[in-house]
Amino acid sequence: MDPNPTDQSPEEVYSVWALPPEPARGRLRRLMAGLRAAHGGPAFEPHVTVVGAIRLRRSAAVEALHAAAAGVRPYTARVVGDRRGFYRFGGLQLEPTPEVMAASDHCCGHFGYERPIPYVPHLSLIYGDRTEEQEAAAMQKVEELDKGIRELQFEISDIALYKTDPKDVESWELVALCSLRQSK
């Protein structure tokens, strides 16, 4: 049921993001700008998707964000590699620790979001279709722009609700921000 029966706003597409703090956010913005300069693509804020695109009224989405944030503690996100590397499909792979996975599961529950595919935590750096050769070139560019990116780790202490029209990345906008509470 919609938490605010007087809300007659249209249903729109929202996503929940975990936001890297400074200085990681600035470092990622610089890396993303370098990749866009070399390979094109839209600009967007550095983020880890916690809840994928879901269609809701604004009041319901904001209320779900606040309820979800109340039950998640700050946690660490770490870039991790596997036999294929640390960068795949335009983003940095993140270690699927129990805390990372639980934060997403918890938030998805509050939004009533059912994943169409299993959750793979990652931090997108560039969007757009690329051939295998272009993807390899982008990975090489990541290494050139930030040699230490493989060791990146940061604490997630904020989650945000973004309006995320899937057809217009550059229209994405911050709707609400919640700080995660330290355990007592």
Side-chain angles (χ1 to χ4, degrees), residues 83-156:
R83 59 184 168 70
R84 293 168 290 202
F86 70 99
Y87 172 90
R88 284 205 331 250
F89 311 116
L92 302 173
Q93 295 181 82
L94 299 178
E95 185 176 3
T97 63
E99 295 79 15
V100 168
M101 302 305 281
S104 179
D105 289 345
H106 174 82
C107 291
C108 285
H110 279 276
F111 278 81
Y113 179 77
E114 294 185 27
R115 292 187 186 98
I117 58 173
Y119 183 55
V120 177
H122 65 283
L123 196 148
S124 295
L125 298 174
I126 188 171
Y127 288 145
D129 294 326
R130 288 174 298 287
T131 64
E132 284 186 37
E133 293 80 19
Q134 291 168 327
E135 187 71 13
M139 181 177 170
Q140 185 174 354
K141 189 68 173 176
V142 168
E143 293 273 21
E144 288 171 15
L145 292 167
D146 191 331
K147 293 183 186 353
I149 199 69
R150 290 175 188 247
E151 288 80 43
L152 180 65
Q153 77 174 35
F154 49 88
E155 182 175 81
I156 299 293

Side-chain angles (χ1 to χ4, degrees), residues 35-113:
L35 276 173
R36 278 194 312 279
H39 299 282
F44 56 93
E45 280 298 306
H47 67 277
V48 178
T49 301
V50 177
V51 178
I54 187 166
R55 189 169 282 285
L56 296 167
R57 292 189 193 278
R58 184 176 289 246
S59 62
V62 170
E63 184 168 300
L65 178 74
H66 287 286
V72 178
R73 302 289 169 247
Y75 58 94
T76 300
R78 253 183 307 285
V79 172
V80 65
D82 62 17
R83 59 184 168 70
R84 293 168 290 202
F86 70 99
Y87 172 90
R88 284 205 331 250
F89 311 116
L92 302 173
Q93 295 181 82
L94 299 178
E95 185 176 3
T97 63
E99 295 79 15
V100 168
M101 302 305 281
S104 179
D105 289 345
H106 174 82
C107 291
C108 285
H110 279 276
F111 278 81
Y113 179 77

Side-chain angles (χ1 to χ4, degrees), residues 22-32 146 148-149 152:
E22 293 296 350
R25 188 179 310 182
R27 179 179 178 182
L28 289 162
R29 280 185 181 136
R30 288 186 294 279
L31 176 57
M32 293 162 74
D146 191 331
I149 199 69
L152 180 65

